[in-house]
Amino acid sequence: MKITSIVNLKGGTGKTTTSVAMIELLSRKERVLGIDNDKQGNLSQAFKRYTPERMIGSSVMLLTGKTRGNILHTENPYIDIIPCNIYMEKAEKEVLLGNVAQHDRYQKALSELVGYERCIIDNPPDIGMNVVNALIASDEIIIPINLDNYSLDGMVEMMSQIQNITEINRKANLTGILITDFEKTEAALQAEEWLRKEYGKRIFSIKIRHSRQAKDATLCQVPVTQYSSRCGATQDYKKFIEEYLRRER
Ligand SMILES: Nc1ncnc2c1ncn2[C@@H]1O[C@H](COP(=O)(O)OP(=O)(O)O)[C@@H](O)[C@H]1O
Ligand SMILES: [Mg+2]
């Protein structure tokens, strides 16, 4: 099972939208496990599997090393998910109080899983113990960025923080940086130029266009790629998957 973490330490950069789109598009060929690692539970909502009440049956339990009983089926037979909710905050504090090894719990729990070709982990905009765990379990990392959202500030620090964590144990590849929610303004074009100069081939050549349908899809709790097959964001996410799979080979 190939494990990919979608990460950015800032909020609103398209992490969840990208995770959900990747899960849905990849599920057309493979069995995919989606993990919601953000206590806001947006990925869980996108697959209609959010519940605020319990911590059993969520990624909170991954932190305690248990996968069994936490995986939920969705309406799509090729997609299962491990949801998340506010209990993650409490679990993280508890884990920090214990003094046994804490950073490889996801890795251990996920290594026992069979039946999935892919696992996509949607992360929150911070580096808590759950994110450290996700990064250490991951084979690769994708960073979505939104050029309009002060995303370029702190980019360098973020890259080095991520690198430090992945070096603790196993080196995850930075597969790439994906520009999301793109609107063609002079400022955005300048930001893109800077980014491509700075990070070169690490930036995916495809960009995800801003589409109203991406937001509408969240209200209906479905992936945008399912909500609208024709909107710009869906077309771009499809091309992104092609580029992503080409890079893999
Ligand atoms: N391509 C897009 N077009 C329009 N809106 C988008 C697009 N991508 C993301 N959004 C919207 O931007 C907001 C933040 O996206 P989200 O994926 O939730 O970011 P994050 O998970 O990084 O916080 C959401 O309201 C989402 O619907
Ligand atoms: Mg999110």
Side-chain angles (χ1 to χ4, degrees):
M1 179 170 75
K2 179 144 197 180
I3 305 174
T4 305
S5 264
I6 314 299
V7 190
N8 192 315
L9 303 190
K10 306 218 170 189
T13 66
K15 290 181 290 301
T16 302
T17 308
T18 300
S19 303
V20 170
M22 285 184 78
I23 291 169
E24 201 278 317
L25 291 172
L26 289 167
S27 81
R28 297 178 186 190
K29 287 203 179 125
E30 302 172 318
R31 278 186 58 86
V32 187
L33 174 68
I35 299 181
D36 192 349
N37 206 22
D38 185 348
K39 61 179 183 288
Q40 291 191 58
N42 293 343
L43 182 110
S44 314
Q45 284 165 354
F47 292 101
K48 302 191 181 75
R49 289 296 176 270
Y50 178 75
T51 162
E53 278 101 28
R54 58 197 158 84
M55 56 195 268
I56 295 174
S58 73
S59 55
V60 177
M61 298 301 283
L62 274 185
L63 260 195
T64 64
K66 300 186 186 87
T67 36
R68 232 162 269 148
N70 298 314
I71 299 178
L72 305 183
H73 296 308
T74 68
E75 289 168 354
N76 180 329
Y78 294 94
I79 301 174
D80 285 348
I81 75 155
I82 299 182
C84 193
N85 61 26
I86 193 71
Y87 283 101
M88 181 56 95
E89 198 167 287
K90 191 168 163 243
E92 255 195 275
K93 289 193 184 118
E94 283 174 13
V95 164
L96 283 173
L97 291 176
N99 53 7
V100 282
Q102 311 153 339
H103 57 263
D104 57 359
R105 293 186 173 179
Y106 282 27
Q107 191 176 36
K108 283 189 178 140
L110 295 177
S111 69
E112 290 167 5
L113 269 185
V114 286
Y116 303 97
E117 277 86 39
R118 298 259 172 197
C119 172
I120 306 286
I121 310 179
D122 179 28
N123 284 285
D126 55 49
I127 294 206
M129 197 36 85
N130 57 333
V131 177
V132 172
N133 264 274
L135 290 176
I136 284 172
S138 294
D139 300 300
E140 59 177 26
I141 292 163
I142 292 176
I143 302 179
I145 75 161
N146 172 339
L147 296 179
D148 305 329
N149 205 13
Y150 304 104
S151 283
L152 303 184
D153 299 349
M155 185 86 191
V156 177
E157 287 100 77
M158 178 179 73
M159 300 284 272
S160 80
Q161 280 193 45
I162 289 175
Q163 184 131 25
N164 287 343
I165 293 166
T166 53
E167 275 170 5
I168 293 177
N169 192 343
R170 174 170 141 190
K171 234 182 205 155
N173 275 327
L174 172 67
T175 301
I177 298 168
L178 175 66
I179 299 172
T180 65
D181 199 10
F182 182 77
E183 286 182 281
K184 201 171 173 181
T185 62
E186 198 46 49
L189 287 170
Q190 272 178 26
E192 181 186 352
E193 197 185 321
W194 177 83
L195 204 64
R196 290 197 188 277
K197 226 180 252 160
E198 198 72 14
Y199 292 101
K201 287 209 176 95
R202 278 184 281 180
I203 315 280
F204 286 101
S205 57
I206 190 80
K207 304 185 283 255
I208 311 299
R209 270 170 286 173
H210 173 80
S211 304
R212 179 181 43 78
Q213 288 87 341
K215 221 165 221 150
D216 294 349
T218 63
L219 296 171
C220 302
Q221 302 203 338
V222 291
V224 61
T225 47
Q226 198 179 320
Y227 179 78
S228 163
S229 58
R230 287 210 305 242
C231 76
T234 293
Q235 289 176 30
D236 297 341
Y237 273 120
K238 281 184 179 161
K239 287 190 196 137
F240 159 66
I241 290 291
E242 283 169 20
E243 186 180 353
Y244 163 76
L245 293 174
R246 263 201 314 275
R247 279 190 185 201
E248 231 178 22
R249 277 184 227 125

